[in-house]
Amino acid sequence: MARRANAQLRADMRRRNNYFAEIEQAAAKVLQSVRHTTGPLSQRGILDIAAQIGFSLHYVNDLPSSTRSVTDLKNRRIYLPQVASGKGHDPRSVVLQTLGHFVLGHADPADYGDFLRQRVEVNYFAAALLMPEKFAVDFLSEAKADRALAIDDFRDAFGVSYETAAHRFTNLATEHFGIPVHFARVHESGIVYKAYENDNVRFPSDVTGAIEGQPVCRKWASRTVFEADDPYSSFYQFTDTTAGTYWCTVHVEATSSGLFSVTVGTPYEHARWFRGGDVTGRTVSTCPDPDCCRRPPTDLVTRWAGNAWPSARVHSHLLAALPPGTFPGVDNRDVYDFLDRRA
């Protein structure tokens, strides 16, 4: 059920080109209420937004380990960690995502699909505050006119993480510029953790249509970047696939769980609008044909077939097909104990 819920949500996002007009309007209204006009959203601005919505922010060192924030609805207090939750995560996003639940009128999620939908909506809301639509579109319009669209520049202009900028680009690229795109966050092992597409790229999927947990082709930029001489520099690649030729730009980030690549791609004909769109690097992928990259070469099979016995590493996110609880993954007892201490 969890995998089907993920697949359904991704289909809904594709149908609307990952653009949520109602959330854009809600974010614009909030920014207007605190008189934020341009530039990165400051901590002062976040405090003003919280106050407008009727909450106070409190940074603590004993937040339950299964949470990123805890909200005391009785006393209108939002508790947050004193330090950022990990590399690549903007601490402002956690605050704004929490506030987003209340601005967008969320109730307790009815099921896992509702829980996922709410997460997508508050992530979108936070990004729309950090990178307001009007200013983001103006910035991207100038870059497109110069044929120099670049996620790196988009990130730097608004002072956000690369992944936030990449996600935000997918919100705006098709709606405002007619550029179909795909996004992927892939572990160095080749496993997909997040993905979105409206450009017909064919991500690997299971029988339910779910992408998460599937290995991507070794020829895709999401994986070849890890073999680059300098994987942390700007990386671009064309890939000929069974669905067409795609251009991709990839960024690698280090986390406590290993290296991840964050990829934004588009069909060949749209590459001309991007910096790096003239790259000569090119690969050919025929996946899901097993001869592309999954079936070992004949000489390796000859040498090692029958002489290897690997012990598989079990990915924890595959153990629970449907996490239990109203808020999946959260230990309610820890949360209630925490609130009781703080009250």
Side-chain angles (χ1 to χ4, degrees), residues 149-152 162 166 169 182-184 221-222 225 233-238 246-252 261-266 274-277 279:
L149 286 172
I151 306 301
D152 309 71
Y162 189 94
F169 183 77
H182 66 265
F183 164 92
S222 295
V225 66
S233 295
S234 298
F235 184 85
Y236 314 109
Q237 177 180 297
F238 281 106
Y246 292 87
W247 173 88
C248 295
T249 177
V250 191
H251 169 82
V252 172
S261 64
V262 178
T263 302
V264 172
T266 191
F274 292 81
R275 181 181 303 145
V279 67

Side-chain angles (χ1 to χ4, degrees), residues 305-318:
N307 293 303
W309 189 293
S311 179
R313 181 189 298 273
V314 178
H315 294 280
S316 60
H317 68 281
L318 300 178

Side-chain angles (χ1 to χ4, degrees), residues 267-288:
Y268 174 87
E269 59 268 28
H270 298 281
R272 66 185 186 276
W273 305 118
F274 292 81
R275 181 181 303 145
D278 57 352
V279 67
T280 56
R282 197 182 196 101
T283 62
V284 177
S285 167
T286 58
C287 278

Side-chain angles (χ1 to χ4, degrees), residues 67-295:
T67 67
R68 294 190 302 169
S69 70
V70 173
T71 303
D72 175 353
L73 295 174
K74 183 185 297 184
N75 299 296
R76 309 291 287 182
R77 295 159 69 94
I78 296 176
Y79 295 99
L80 299 148
Q82 286 183 341
V83 294
S85 57
K87 293 180 180 179
H89 294 280
D90 187 335
R92 296 174 301 169
S93 293
V94 177
V95 184
L96 298 175
Q97 289 163 13
T98 301
L99 293 171
H101 286 294
F102 307 107
V103 173
L104 301 177
H106 290 166
D108 286 356
D111 51 34
Y112 191 64
D114 197 31
F115 168 77
L116 291 178
R117 177 188 59 80
Q118 288 185 6
R119 286 197 62 171
V120 166
E121 290 181 355
V122 298
N123 285 341
Y124 193 113
F125 176 77
L129 289 176
L130 293 169
M131 310 177 79
E133 181 176 25
K134 179 184 184 305
F135 306 117
V137 170
D138 287 347
F139 178 87
L140 293 173
S141 294
E142 291 184 13
K144 181 174 181 286
D146 292 337
R147 300 197 175 205
L149 286 172
I151 306 301
D152 309 71
D153 293 351
F154 197 33
R155 169 199 61 192
D156 295 343
F158 291 89
V160 299
S161 70
Y162 189 94
E163 186 172 348
T164 294
H167 270 297
R168 189 64 174 140
F169 183 77
T170 69
N171 299 153
L172 305 172
T174 309
E175 178 69 20
H176 290 282
F177 304 105
I179 300 175
V181 290
H182 66 265
F183 164 92
R185 177 177 170 82
V186 176
H187 188 257
E188 59 186 317
S189 63
I191 299 299
V192 178
Y193 274 60
K194 298 179 186 177
Y196 162 79
E197 55 78 22
N198 70 350
D199 59 0
N200 295 319
V201 73
R202 294 177 184 170
F203 283 115
S205 62
D206 63 16
V207 293
T208 68
I211 289 172
E212 296 75 15
Q214 299 299 305
V216 298
C217 178
R218 295 172 188 268
K219 309 292 182 62
W220 284 20
S222 295
R223 294 190 69 175
T224 61
V225 66
F226 293 116
E227 301 168 6
D229 292 337
D230 182 5
Y232 295 100
S233 295
S234 298
F235 184 85
Y236 314 109
Q237 177 180 297
F238 281 106
T239 308
D240 297 327
T241 77
T242 56
T245 298
Y246 292 87
W247 173 88
C248 295
T249 177
V250 191
H251 169 82
V252 172
E253 62 180 30
T255 76
S256 58
S257 301
L259 299 179
F260 284 84
S261 64
V262 178
T263 302
V264 172
T266 191
Y268 174 87
E269 59 268 28
H270 298 281
R272 66 185 186 276
W273 305 118
F274 292 81
R275 181 181 303 145
D278 57 352
V279 67
T280 56
R282 197 182 196 101
T283 62
V284 177
S285 167
T286 58
C287 278
D289 181 351
D291 285 332
C292 176
C293 68
R294 297 192 183 184
R295 183 173 290 156

